[in-house]
Amino acid sequence: MDRATHPFAQTDDYRPRDGATMRVRTVWISDLHLGTPGCQAVALLDFLKQVDCDELFLVGDIIDGWQLRRSWYWPQAHNDVIQKLLRKARKGTRVVFVPGNHDEFARKYVEHEFGGVEVVSEWMHVTADGRRLWITHGDLFDGVIQCAKWLAYVGDSLYTFILKLNKHFNSMRARMGLPYWSLSKYLKHKVKRAVSYIGEFEVAVAKEARKRGADGVVCGHIHHAEMRDIDGILYCNDGDWVESLTALVEHPDGRLEILDWSSRHEHGKPVLPDEEAMRPGVREPELAVLSEVLAGS
């Protein structure tokens, strides 16, 4: 899908709106995993409040349907994230949702709009400097997801266990005055198999972008923020909001940058949910789409 066929009014005035401190042309975020204890909702809310944009792309795994099928977890902070996204749509930001594998239930709503949020299977974005960026979550290029989904579920359970260890580990680091550190991110960079998988994934996605006539690709899925050239194709991964706390942004001149939000928090204060954020949230009407998860869709 190309913006040329779905025009959107851009602006030349890039002063921040609605209390934000930064204004950019476009933001890409993915792998929020709302509905899981691992979601760094407090940091994400801070990001959404501080960064204003013309267009916001939600590049999959926004809501974790896999985890919600196992057990319901929806604290107030996760409600607040949804409310903030809907508020951005009401205030003039174009919000486009490209579902991933964890929120695949939303794929049945492609070409529909909910609360001002457009649901699409993929997108072709044109930057201010004329580059065409293909937007996809990336799970279609994951051999485990496509060929052995049961193995993906097992891996997801193991990943959840590692995140729990990571949470307790960082609680101890916080008491020692040390900054946040991701155990799972460290393991992914040290285990040769994981490094090989990431490289193969990036090459496969870039190859498909070339076939589609794009200058680059923006994806998520592997929780590894990156921006590099692969055989003449600009590969961008916006990371995640479980480990990396990263987003990809486009500045008014078309320049792309990965923002690391974890580095914007005070030393010795890791981004962990506070007591208020951990209180059970109320299921608001605009979260009705989650009923599709509980219904086993």
Side-chain angles (χ1 to χ4, degrees), residues 15-61:
R15 289 175 297 181
R17 303 167 298 183
D18 201 21
T21 58
M22 179 188 300
R23 179 81 180 272
V24 295
R25 188 171 188 261
T26 314
V27 168
W28 292 266
I29 55 174
S30 73
D31 299 274
L32 314 185
H33 291 278
L34 293 166
T36 71
C39 173
Q40 300 278 6
V42 175
L44 177 57
L45 274 171
D46 181 56
F47 171 81
L48 293 173
K49 289 175 181 177
Q50 299 301 324
V51 181
D52 184 20
C53 58
D54 291 343
E55 291 187 282
L56 171 61
F57 288 96
L58 308 174
V59 194
D61 287 0

Side-chain angles (χ1 to χ4, degrees), residues 72-132:
W72 182 265
Y73 179 84
W74 198 262
Q76 184 60 46
H78 294 207
N79 250 12
D80 294 341
V81 169
I82 295 294
Q83 293 284 354
K84 186 61 178 177
L85 293 173
L86 293 173
R87 177 182 173 84
K88 281 185 174 292
R90 290 195 305 269
K91 292 291 185 177
T93 295
R94 185 178 204 173
V95 182
V96 180
F97 174 31
V98 181
N101 51 300
H102 281 260
D103 46 23
E104 59 191 352
F105 65 89
R107 284 175 170 158
K108 68 172 67 175
Y109 302 114
V110 164
E111 305 303 328
H112 288 74
E113 182 179 306
F114 296 94
V117 178
E118 303 170 54
V119 185
V120 301
S121 58
E122 58 184 24
W123 196 267
M124 191 68 78
H125 173 77
V126 181
T127 62
D129 55 9
R131 289 176 292 175
R132 289 164 53 85

Side-chain angles (χ1 to χ4, degrees), residues 8 22-23 42 67 81 88 95 97-98 104 128 131 133 142 148 151 163 172 200 205 231 239 262 271-272 280:
F8 177 70
M22 179 188 300
R23 179 81 180 272
V42 175
Q67 285 293 326
V81 169
K88 281 185 174 292
V95 182
F97 174 31
V98 181
E104 59 191 352
R131 289 176 292 175
L133 302 179
D142 186 335
L151 185 58
L163 289 178
M172 290 188 292
E200 292 171 359
V205 174
D231 296 327
S262 65
V271 184
L272 294 173

Side-chain angles (χ1 to χ4, degrees), residues 38 40 159-173 180-187 242-245 270-272:
Q40 300 278 6
Y159 180 62
T160 300
F161 173 70
I162 293 175
L163 289 178
K164 288 181 179 178
L165 287 179
N166 191 60
K167 179 180 177 181
H168 294 300
F169 178 69
N170 274 288
S171 293
M172 290 188 292
R173 285 178 64 87
Y180 178 80
W181 183 80
S182 174
L183 172 62
S184 56
K185 187 176 181 180
Y186 172 80
L187 291 174
V242 177
E243 310 164 62
S244 306
L245 280 63
V271 184
L272 294 173

